[in-house]
Amino acid sequence: MIDFRPVLHIIGVILCLLAAAMLVPAAVDSLAGNGQWPVFIASGGITLVAGLGLVLGTRCDGRRPLSIRQAYLAAGLGWLAPSLFAALPFALGSSALSGVDAFFEATSGLTTTGSTVITSLDHMPAGLLLWRGLLQWLGGVGIVIMAIAVLPVLNVGGMQMFRVEVLSARDRAAPRAARIGSTLIAAYVGLTAVMALALWLAGMNRLDAVVHAMSTIATGGFSNHDSSMAFFDSATMDFIVFCGMVLGGMPFMAFFTLAQGDWRRVTADQQLRWYLGLLLLSGLAITLWLIDVHHYGVWTALRHGMFTVASVMTGTGLTTVDYDGWAGMPLAILFLLTFVGGCAGSTASGIKVFRFQLLFANAVVQIRQLLRPHAVMVPSFNTKPIPKDVLTSVMGFIFVYALSFAVLSMMLALLGLDFVTALSAAASALSNVGPGLGDIIGPGGSFAELPDLAKLLLAGGMLFGRLEMVILLVICVPSFWKD
């Protein structure tokens, strides 16, 4: 039988940290003279009581590592439980969201999706706006930790290819892991601070600069304004956010490698090359289309084209222009990039670039094998041979991803959503992108008009996509609960 104490202990610690985070918007609201600060104090108190109850009531030997089943449970509940408690300020505050809407907004924040049911953001209290940004920033931290320390161990979707980067040399695993962790957190905090300072110097007020910096590095997409980055209409701010989104979509292990002075290894990373190359080619294609069809000037087209591609590919979801009015090739590119995502080990979501690389390498070998049937050929990734179990894992992951997209789209269509809205909403949720397509949930729209059941399905899709599909599926298998 599964020992739930270590799992619940971890959930308790996470809830205690979440409760502490609620003090930040409470302090901001108090200093600003807003009357919403008691909401965060009350929400934090409820969350703290629940967290301390779990921590104190589930004491166990912390030196024993988690079993595989416990790790799966901790990963799944570690996102679901905080989403429930993070919804409290939305439900109890001035926004007065329903329970479903509050859960949707909190889940969208923690999974760094960026879909929202809140309108009139320009008139929201400062504390609530900061809470939205803080949720995405905290979610980004959790994503990086999970991608580096959890998914490779659980062999999820080919992530075992990156296990050696974390746990090379068993006798030095603990100090190396601690060094990696401290470097990654320092890089995450440092990039956020630099982004906030740069945006402030570019003309944003302090609240906007901080929230957009957190949202950008976490590739989340929450903005303080209904029109997102278009509200500022600043090429300088757009460029700063563009750089932040590109950095957020990079593997954070690259920052650790750079900290060690090994820049050649970073530049030789095939995944990073594919990521930047695909982003550049897609951005240039849309730039040329904007020049040809919409008669934009070169720099204006380059600004909006590259920004939109980076935003969609990394799953950030910030916008400088309402691309829902585009048609043909640009929408096709953006829809496909929704599924591609960023690099493994980044805060970006989607299928991830490396999985397409592995399948491409395998396809090339298969084609060559047809020409030379007796030759021994092995696909490789970053000069390392790709094990067959990794390829099998990746193909299984992509099949589950495609099946999940089809099922979620059909369920949304059954609830009355039109074809474009159902398809783009399903893709947006599973890939944690944010805005979809169409008049309702497009870049200038909101998810508020959707039925409550559709919002619950999409919130589930956000968690499903953020947990790399397989984790929740494994928990749902009956044999998981048997000895």
Side-chain angles (χ1 to χ4, degrees), residues 76 150 187 208 216 296 318 361 392 452:
V150 179
D208 281 344
T216 299
Y296 280 23
L318 293 170
T392 302
D452 282 350

Side-chain angles (χ1 to χ4, degrees), residues 254 257-258 260-270 272-273:
T257 306
L258 286 174
Q260 292 181 313
D262 192 0
W263 60 269
R264 292 185 179 179
R265 184 180 173 189
V266 174
T267 56
D269 187 354
Q270 293 179 7
L272 192 55
R273 288 182 175 184

Side-chain angles (χ1 to χ4, degrees), residues 163-181 256 260 265:
R163 186 188 309 170
V164 68
E165 296 185 15
V166 181
L167 297 177
S168 63
R170 186 180 296 270
D171 58 332
R172 294 182 301 149
R176 177 177 170 81
R179 191 166 68 254
I180 291 175
F256 175 75
Q260 292 181 313
R265 184 180 173 189

Side-chain angles (χ1 to χ4, degrees), residues 52-63:
L52 286 177
L54 290 176
V55 170
L56 299 177
T58 56
R59 291 182 179 179
C60 53
D61 187 0
R63 294 171 297 180

Side-chain angles (χ1 to χ4, degrees), residues 274 356-366 378-381 386 391:
W274 274 52
F356 289 101
Q357 287 181 269
L358 298 186
L359 293 182
F360 179 78
N362 187 51
V364 169
V365 167
Q366 293 294 328
V378 179
S380 62
F381 174 74
I386 305 172
L391 290 172

Side-chain angles (χ1 to χ4, degrees), residues 233-235 238 287 298-308 320:
D233 193 23
S234 168
D238 292 346
T287 296
V298 174
W299 291 112
T300 302
L302 189 65
R303 168 189 168 189
H304 294 304
M306 294 300 297
F307 187 100
T308 303
T320 58

Side-chain angles (χ1 to χ4, degrees), residues 82-272:
S83 296
L84 292 170
F85 284 91
L88 290 175
F90 296 116
L92 302 177
S94 60
S95 57
L97 297 182
S98 66
V100 171
D101 285 351
F103 176 67
F104 180 94
E105 194 77 12
T107 304
S108 177
L110 280 174
T111 58
T112 71
T113 302
S115 302
T116 185
V117 294
I118 299 178
T119 55
S120 301
L121 289 168
D122 303 78
H123 306 292
M124 294 295 291
L128 204 58
L129 293 174
L130 181 60
W131 179 238
R132 296 169 82 242
L134 196 57
L135 280 180
Q136 295 203 320
W137 193 79
L138 293 173
V141 174
I143 291 162
V144 172
I145 293 173
M146 188 173 71
I148 299 299
V150 179
L151 296 181
V153 176
L154 298 180
N155 299 334
V156 174
M159 286 294 290
Q160 56 266 45
M161 284 292 293
F162 302 94
R163 186 188 309 170
V164 68
E165 296 185 15
V166 181
L167 297 177
S168 63
R170 186 180 296 270
D171 58 332
R172 294 182 301 149
R176 177 177 170 81
R179 191 166 68 254
I180 291 175
S182 60
T183 303
L184 296 185
I185 296 300
Y188 191 80
V189 174
L191 287 173
T192 305
V194 170
M195 275 283 302
L197 179 62
L199 290 172
W200 179 67
L201 292 175
M204 281 190 184
N205 63 45
R206 287 175 293 181
L207 178 65
D208 281 344
V210 170
V211 170
H212 285 86
M214 291 192 293
S215 183
T216 299
I217 294 300
T219 61
F222 276 160
S223 175
N224 291 349
H225 306 280
D226 292 323
S227 54
S228 192
M229 288 298 297
F231 172 85
F232 303 101
D233 193 23
S234 168
T236 302
M237 294 180 190
D238 292 346
F239 177 73
I240 294 170
V241 171
F242 168 78
C243 293
M245 291 189 295
V246 173
L247 290 173
M250 290 173 53
F252 269 72
M253 278 299 297
F255 300 118
F256 175 75
T257 306
L258 286 174
Q260 292 181 313
D262 192 0
W263 60 269
R264 292 185 179 179
R265 184 180 173 189
V266 174
T267 56
D269 187 354
Q270 293 179 7
Q271 179 183 208
L272 192 55

Side-chain angles (χ1 to χ4, degrees), residues 30 60 77 91 124 139 177 207 258 291 343 369 372 396 477:
S30 178
C60 53
L77 294 177
M124 294 295 291
L207 178 65
L258 286 174
I291 294 173
C343 298
Q369 199 87 49
R372 299 179 180 179
V477 174

